[in-house]
Amino acid sequence: MPETTPQNQPAPKPADAKPAAPRPFAEPAEGDLRASDADRERVAAALRDAYAEGRLDAEEHSQRLDAAYAAKTLGELVPLTRDLPAHDRAHPRPAAAPAPAEEPAPVSGSNDIVAIFGGSVRKGRFRAGRFMRAKAIFGGITIDLTEAVFDAPELVIECHAVFGGVEVKVPDNVSLHGGGAGIFGGFDVREEEGTEPNGPVVTIRGKAVFGGVSASRRRGAWQALKDRSRP
């Protein structure tokens, strides 16, 4: 049996040796960072411009817009504008701290409108925000935007009608986009471009089951966020 020499023996550990400190967590890649509302809104604005310029058709615009608002990370937003000339300004990045606004722009009332075995009407001067949800079950809802103040370049209205109806009225100088599913019912959205080149866009989506959803333009004038008078 060979002799064990001191050179073959491991050096004894000092009695007071401390365990190695844990390695710090690596910083996540930019594409893995969570997307903010400002990031999603920046991409939505670029998609709206691309649609207005004819670079995207209505179906492509709707699909990419849905993907933008559903995105959880910055990496999910990048492909949506990669093939557009304006991708450099739409490229998502961590949003800087917003500058103090001259005036807060809260939405008047709730943006969830529900009618169950009854009716509900939203009209007059109110801040529309960027998202509304209308649900009519054995009832009717009317959303009249002809006097509304638009806080964002695009307003998405999600409509669900079950044995009921939802009617949306949009000013004639606001673009109207969208569409949905009619299951034993009707989903009628007449897509039209507004007379104002830089006017906001209203996008209708959702479904009607044994009911109806309709959206059309009416004579009226949209109120932009630059209008500082209160409702």
Side-chain angles (χ1 to χ4, degrees), residues 80-207:
L80 302 178
T81 55
R82 181 175 288 158
D83 58 349
L84 301 177
H87 75 278
D88 54 339
R89 68 175 177 79
H91 186 84
R93 55 189 180 277
E102 297 180 14
E103 174 189 357
V107 177
S108 301
S110 172
N111 266 10
D112 286 346
I113 307 171
V114 180
I116 302 176
F117 289 98
S120 181
V121 178
R122 188 74 186 277
K123 64 179 181 178
R125 184 76 176 275
F126 65 94
R127 297 193 182 277
R130 67 181 185 88
F131 182 79
M132 299 179 71
R133 181 182 290 109
K135 182 179 293 185
I137 303 176
F138 290 96
I141 293 176
T142 298
I143 303 175
D144 188 345
L145 299 170
T146 53
E147 297 181 22
V149 177
F150 287 82
D151 300 285
E154 183 159 19
L155 166 64
V156 177
I157 305 178
E158 186 176 299
C159 301
H160 296 278
V162 181
F163 290 97
V166 178
E167 180 185 13
V168 181
K169 302 176 182 179
V170 176
D172 59 359
N173 43 12
V174 171
S175 297
L176 178 61
H177 298 164
I183 305 173
F184 293 101
F187 205 105
D188 181 18
V189 177
R190 185 173 181 179
E191 293 198 348
E192 295 180 283
E193 294 299 321
T195 56
E196 290 284 345
N198 298 320
V201 176
V202 174
T203 300
I204 311 294
R205 63 189 185 191
K207 62 183 177 181

Side-chain angles (χ1 to χ4, degrees), residues 34-44 68-69 71 77 95 130:
R34 302 287 288 192
S36 68
D37 287 342
D39 296 321
R40 285 183 281 266
E41 198 61 55
R42 183 166 52 251
V43 173
Y69 284 122
L77 292 173
R130 67 181 185 88

Side-chain angles (χ1 to χ4, degrees), residues 9 23 28 37 46 49 55 59 65 72 83 90 99 112 139 152 156 164 176-177 182 198 211 218 220-222:
Q9 295 179 354
R23 297 177 63 184
D37 287 342
D49 292 342
R55 302 183 190 276
E59 183 178 357
L65 185 66
K72 300 298 184 183
D83 58 349
D112 286 346
V156 177
L176 178 61
H177 298 164
N198 298 320
R218 298 286 191 274
W222 64 275

